[in-house]
Amino acid sequence: MSRPLVDAVRAGDHLAVMTLVDDGADPDTPGADGLPLLCEAVAAFDSPVAGVLVEGGADPDRVLPDGTTPLWRAVDSGSPALVTAVLGREPRLRLAEAARERLLALARNWHETGVAAELRRRTGASGPVETVRVDDDPDGFNFTHQVSLAGRSVRDGHAGILTALEWAFRILTPVDEIIARAVAQPDEDHATWWEVLQVLLDRRSEETWSAVVSHRHHPDPAHRRFVAEYVRVRGVVADDSPRARREGDFVSAWAAEETDPAMLERVLRALDEYEHPGREAAALRYAAHPDVVVRRVVPLLLFPFENALPMAPEARRTLRALLHDPDAEVRLGACRVAVRHADLLPEAVQQLLRLAEDSDPELHTPAASHLASCPDRTPAVADALAALLERDDPPTVLEAGYGLALRDDARTAEAYHRIRSVDAVHEDDHRWSAIWQWAWDNGLIRPVG
């Protein structure tokens, strides 16, 4: 037994596991129960460690004494992130048809029966289940519910797992069916939403696009929210697609017709991901919208793409008006755009200085960020950045220090020490790198040796 590898797996230290496997430790090392360590990672819902073990050569298809495999156990767990980590390469070619069918049947049974009901059937317990929300993605981008009964815990991501397995095995499940799996979860941060989105984004056919966007007119708002998120993410991941202009046309037309403020806000955020001429028209149309959630998106649409034409006079007047919107977040968004225009810079800076002192601490970091990078080099901005060093919020302190370093301000020395004291150091962060370089150039850091 490789004791260091066992200890690293049990500690959930995926970087140590990676180092040990790279140095020759056997990724199929058994644990105390004789099962491979991959099973321990699966039982702990530890997708980063499981992924490192599989990438390092651990066998996800190894038949265990009870007839299951590590992959089977990952599917059984209900964690989509865990299945992604354990699935391995080319599962459609690697697994026999019977094995693929067993995995699909397992995920389908959990999905159709329901986690609580299936747990009761398996454990024989009849008491209430305990349900908690847990991050399923290791980066915290999505969640599942973890359901526990009689000492056993399972997550409720089986609909997403079923969808992912079908695609991995190249089963083209009808679009309407898999969208229904997503919208059955009321919260779109649930992992099943992402699994369904990911599969539909990977299915790049014209038929898939048409089937998804047909839900734009569905009577259930959840279906329309799904379409808005689908086209938004397509704008992010497929902005160079030959169909990007056509897709942008679709989103722009939808934005012009949508009347529900909550849905309109989503559609405008989707439009923001497309380099489309309808962006500015939408911004002008909704700049004075009575609902603040809509107005908060408008400045995004005025932010120029790299090859955008100069801002038209009407758009410039609209942006100036947004700098004085009653809502602070609208003003903040307008400042982000306005600091790029010399004639609007003074007004934008005055607003940012006010926002940096606002009673809402959520505004301080973005205000500091815009002040730091803006071209204004007056003492008022430098003084405001120095004052922000006293905040208790590490991201705000980091932004303020970065702004001082860009201005070669002597108070960067104070920022250097302050950032270290509030644990805002991020070695690979360009802001910290600039502050560290200033400290080096000015003798705060002495060469070793």
Side-chain angles (χ1 to χ4, degrees):
M1 179 187 297
S2 172
R3 190 75 240 174
L5 183 60
V6 172
D7 292 343
V9 169
R10 291 179 179 168
D13 189 342
H14 73 283
L15 295 177
V17 172
M18 183 184 300
T19 298
L20 290 164
V21 171
D22 287 346
D23 288 345
D26 181 3
D28 278 320
T29 293
D33 56 4
L35 296 177
L37 287 174
L38 179 56
C39 292
E40 291 197 22
V42 169
F45 299 101
D46 195 333
S47 55
V49 166
V52 168
L53 289 170
V54 171
E55 284 294 318
D59 184 1
D61 309 320
R62 179 176 179 174
V63 179
L64 306 170
D66 64 357
T68 67
T69 66
L71 177 55
W72 192 96
R73 292 185 177 201
V75 172
D76 203 44
S77 76
S79 166
L82 196 55
V83 172
T84 298
V86 179
L87 189 58
R89 298 174 183 174
E90 299 293 349
R92 182 173 65 93
L93 302 178
R94 190 183 77 235
L95 296 168
E97 181 178 359
R100 300 198 302 268
E101 288 297 331
R102 283 195 296 272
L103 292 171
L104 289 166
L106 175 63
R108 189 177 297 109
N109 177 66
W110 278 106
H111 165 53
E112 294 178 351
T113 305
V115 172
E118 181 63 11
L119 266 179
R120 289 194 178 95
R121 187 191 71 78
R122 292 195 182 194
T123 63
S126 57
V129 299
E130 177 187 354
T131 303
V132 295
R133 175 173 168 146
V134 294
D135 288 338
D136 192 61
D137 178 85
D139 295 322
F141 291 127
N142 53 57
F143 77 95
T144 56
H145 298 102
Q146 188 162 298
V147 184
S148 301
L149 179 67
R152 177 164 184 183
S153 296
V154 179
R155 297 185 178 179
D156 69 345
H158 295 96
I161 292 171
L162 176 60
T163 305
L165 289 177
E166 288 167 343
W167 176 240
F169 301 154
R170 291 305 183 263
I171 298 170
L172 294 180
T173 307
V175 168
D176 292 355
E177 181 179 338
I178 61 175
I179 289 180
R181 295 172 188 169
V183 300
Q185 293 288 345
D187 191 328
E188 59 211 65
D189 290 329
H190 192 279
T192 293
W193 272 72
W194 171 247
E195 294 298 324
V196 170
L197 269 172
Q198 185 63 59
V199 167
L200 292 174
L201 291 166
D202 287 343
R203 286 171 55 170
R204 299 184 178 91
S205 69
E206 184 68 27
E207 291 77 12
T208 295
W209 163 267
S210 298
V212 173
V213 300
S214 71
H215 285 249
R216 172 190 159 187
H217 299 292
H218 197 284
D220 184 347
H223 287 251
R224 302 198 296 278
R225 290 202 311 271
F226 183 88
V227 178
E229 183 64 3
Y230 170 78
V231 294
R232 186 192 71 80
V233 179
R234 272 200 63 83
V236 175
V237 302
D239 61 330
D240 58 349
S241 164
R243 296 197 293 259
R245 177 58 186 265
R246 190 266 327 254
E247 294 169 10
D249 289 344
F250 169 84
V251 182
S252 181
W254 187 359
E257 298 168 5
E258 183 59 59
T259 57
D260 176 74
M263 190 64 64
L264 176 59
E265 183 259 350
R266 294 170 181 272
V267 176
L268 292 177
R269 290 193 183 277
L271 181 59
D272 178 48
E273 301 298 343
Y274 291 85
E275 187 172 354
H276 190 275
R279 292 165 54 89
E280 188 173 286
L284 298 180
R285 184 184 306 117
Y286 295 119
H289 196 281
D291 197 307
V292 69
V293 300
V294 175
R295 297 202 312 279
R296 286 174 180 172
V297 189
V298 170
L300 301 177
L301 300 173
L302 292 171
F303 197 86
F305 275 88
E306 183 178 351
N307 298 317
L309 296 173
M311 184 178 287
E314 186 178 0
R316 194 176 294 269
R317 288 193 294 272
T318 296
L319 183 56
R320 175 170 271 120
L322 292 171
L323 287 171
H324 302 278
D325 191 274
D327 181 75
E329 288 190 37
V330 175
R331 297 198 302 275
L332 184 65
C335 288
R336 175 174 176 258
V337 184
V339 293
R340 299 168 63 91
H341 300 276
D343 60 321
L344 296 176
L345 178 62
E347 286 181 71
V349 166
Q350 288 305 309
Q351 288 297 339
L352 288 170
L353 292 173
R354 295 187 187 100
L355 291 165
E357 297 177 348
D358 195 273
S359 60
D360 182 359
E362 294 296 319
L363 298 171
H364 297 164
T365 298
S369 175
H370 298 329
L371 283 171
S373 58
C374 82
D376 187 306
R377 295 295 187 264
T378 60
V381 171
D383 291 346
L385 291 169
L388 288 169
L389 294 176
E390 300 304 316
R391 301 294 160 86
D392 293 328
D393 181 41
T396 300
V397 174
L398 181 60
E399 292 286 3
Y402 176 59
L404 291 170
L406 290 179
R407 289 160 175 78
D408 193 21
D409 190 292
R411 288 169 289 188
T412 308
E414 177 188 348
Y416 173 80
H417 295 296
R418 175 68 175 150
I419 289 165
R420 294 176 66 88
S421 72
V422 298
D423 196 25
V425 173
H426 302 283
E427 296 295 346
D428 297 328
D429 190 293
H430 71 280
R431 295 164 298 183
W432 172 247
S433 295
I435 296 163
W436 187 95
Q437 188 63 54
W438 187 95
W440 174 272
D441 293 343
N442 287 273
L444 269 69
I445 304 170
R446 298 188 180 278
V448 177

